[in-house]
Amino acid sequence: MIASPPRTIRIGSRKSQLALVQTHWVQSELQKAFPGHIFEVHTMSTQGDKILDVALAKIGDKGLFTKELEVGMLNGDIDFAVHSLKDLPTRLPEGLMLGCVTEREDPADALVVHEKHQDKQLDTLPEGAVIGTSSLRRLAQLRHHYPHLAFKDVRGNLNTRLAKLDAGEYDALILAVAGLKRLGMGDRIHQNIPGDISLHAVGQGALGIECRTEDPEILAVLKVLEHPPTAQRCYAERAFLRELEGGCQVPIGVHTGIEGDTLTLTGLVASLDGQTLIKDTVSGAPDTAEQIGIDLAHRLKEQGAQAVLDEIFATIQRG
């Protein structure tokens, strides 16, 4: 228990079920650590929550899910915001910072199948099976490994996507293991997709708590939830993505691990059609996490990643 002057602290959250589950967990943990404070949850709808009929790649970058919350912080309406870290842009508005990274849930992607495919795995689904995903990262990697499958965009919250699957609109979905587990839907996970098939998104499985840079009291409160090994891994991943100037809808995947005093980051850039995968690995001391990410980005650029990314950006802009 940590003693500090009591105050009411306002937590910002999106309104989705998953966002609220994550935010209420943060609220509960902080209330235990600071019983003298009052932690209030304030919800907001973001642009990304409102536009559900257009592929994410065509409507913008990760700020779609964070901008309204960031405006709330800068205006003083809320004190900090809880995000799925994979939704948080690597470049934050002036006056805001990533104040805390929580312990990571399994960052892998999951295969969720229609009941008629309960005896199948990714590599045994029939030719032409329709796989739902709204992620270009997942799409590019799966196209590379399973060119015989068909892929179709899917939007909406987790329950909406699962309802579309169960209604037969898709043969399978690719979703995040972490989101399913946090919503108590771990039983829907049919297969954890191995990293050699699908490297996960930057920050996937971790929560990122964003706050004002000039609010040391809030920063001190948030630090009780910081998980240093997760933070170091995610700082490496975010530096890698930032150096490549990739947004949420670019096929960039990562995997990180810490063994002893060594952090290892594997990163990938893929073409939209899955024909080109550029992949490499860099290791170093965990306290040099950001430099590891930068070094890996430069290494992939030297191997042709910039040309692949330039073509993707041009394709997306052409619509």
Side-chain angles (χ1 to χ4, degrees):
M1 192 180 300
I2 301 171
S4 60
R7 66 178 276 193
T8 297
I9 296 174
R10 297 151 302 173
I11 310 172
S13 174
R14 291 166 60 193
K15 293 181 178 180
S16 75
Q17 183 185 6
L18 178 58
L20 287 171
V21 165
Q22 294 174 167
T23 301
H24 286 141
W25 176 82
V26 169
Q27 179 189 34
S28 174
E29 291 300 304
L30 291 178
Q31 196 67 72
K32 290 178 204 171
F34 299 92
H37 289 336
I38 297 171
F39 293 91
E40 297 178 346
V41 173
H42 294 249
T43 60
M44 302 180 185
S45 290
T46 67
Q47 187 183 7
D49 296 314
K50 297 170 186 173
I51 304 174
L52 297 176
D53 57 348
V54 180
L56 287 175
K58 296 181 181 178
I59 53 176
D61 61 16
K62 293 187 182 180
L64 284 169
F65 295 107
T66 61
K67 185 176 180 181
E68 287 79 1
L69 293 163
E70 291 173 338
V71 169
M73 280 182 279
L74 292 171
N75 288 345
D77 298 326
I78 56 176
D79 294 300
F80 64 84
V82 180
H83 307 285
S84 294
L85 185 56
K86 70 176 182 177
D87 289 334
L88 188 64
T90 56
R91 299 182 191 277
L92 302 181
E94 186 175 353
L96 298 178
M97 64 179 290
L98 177 56
C100 169
V101 178
T102 67
E103 185 170 6
R104 193 172 218 163
E105 177 59 87
D106 186 343
D109 291 328
L111 176 71
V112 181
V113 298
H114 187 275
E115 60 183 3
K116 68 185 177 185
H117 295 304
Q118 285 297 322
D119 61 337
K120 302 290 195 300
Q121 300 275 292
L122 252 181
D123 57 1
T124 56
L125 284 168
E127 183 169 354
V130 177
I131 313 300
T133 176
S134 58
S135 162
L136 297 184
R137 171 188 58 81
R138 292 168 177 156
L139 177 63
Q141 293 182 86
L142 294 176
R143 274 180 171 159
H144 178 83
H145 293 286
Y146 306 107
H148 62 286
L149 298 178
F151 297 93
K152 181 180 172 185
D153 195 64
V154 58
R155 292 290 315 280
N157 62 38
L158 210 50
N159 286 323
T160 299
R161 296 182 194 200
L162 290 171
K164 290 178 179 179
L165 171 69
D166 294 338
E169 290 184 41
Y170 303 86
D171 292 292
L173 300 177
I174 309 297
L175 301 167
V177 167
L180 289 163
K181 286 188 172 181
R182 287 188 177 123
L183 286 178
M185 298 179 183
D187 60 331
R188 294 300 304 261
I189 298 172
H190 190 66
Q191 178 187 5
N192 273 39
I193 301 174
D196 59 349
I197 299 296
S198 182
L199 291 181
H200 60 74
V202 166
Q204 187 159 307
L207 303 183
I209 305 181
E210 188 180 14
C211 64
R212 291 182 290 270
T213 53
E214 301 301 324
D215 197 337
E217 185 181 343
I218 289 296
L219 193 58
V221 166
L222 296 179
K223 284 304 180 185
V224 303
L225 295 183
E226 178 95 333
H227 187 251
T230 299
Q232 289 167 328
R233 290 166 62 191
C234 290
Y235 290 149
E237 295 172 14
R238 286 171 63 79
F240 170 68
L241 181 62
R242 184 168 55 244
E243 197 69 16
L244 290 174
E245 299 182 341
C248 101
Q249 287 306 302
V250 174
I252 293 174
V254 292
H255 176 76
T256 48
I258 295 178
E259 292 286 340
D261 58 359
T262 301
L263 186 155
T264 300
L265 169 65
T266 297
L268 167 143
V269 173
S271 60
L272 292 176
D273 60 9
Q275 293 295 307
T276 302
L277 297 185
I278 301 172
K279 184 177 177 180
D280 211 332
T281 300
V282 170
S283 296
D287 62 2
T288 65
E290 294 213 357
Q291 191 59 50
I292 290 170
I294 292 168
D295 290 346
L296 180 58
H298 290 169
R299 187 175 293 189
L300 291 195
K301 284 182 178 180
E302 290 168 0
Q303 297 172 31
Q306 192 61 59
V308 173
L309 291 172
D310 289 345
E311 174 57 29
I312 291 168
F313 294 136
T315 300
I316 291 173
Q317 287 171 357
R318 288 195 299 265

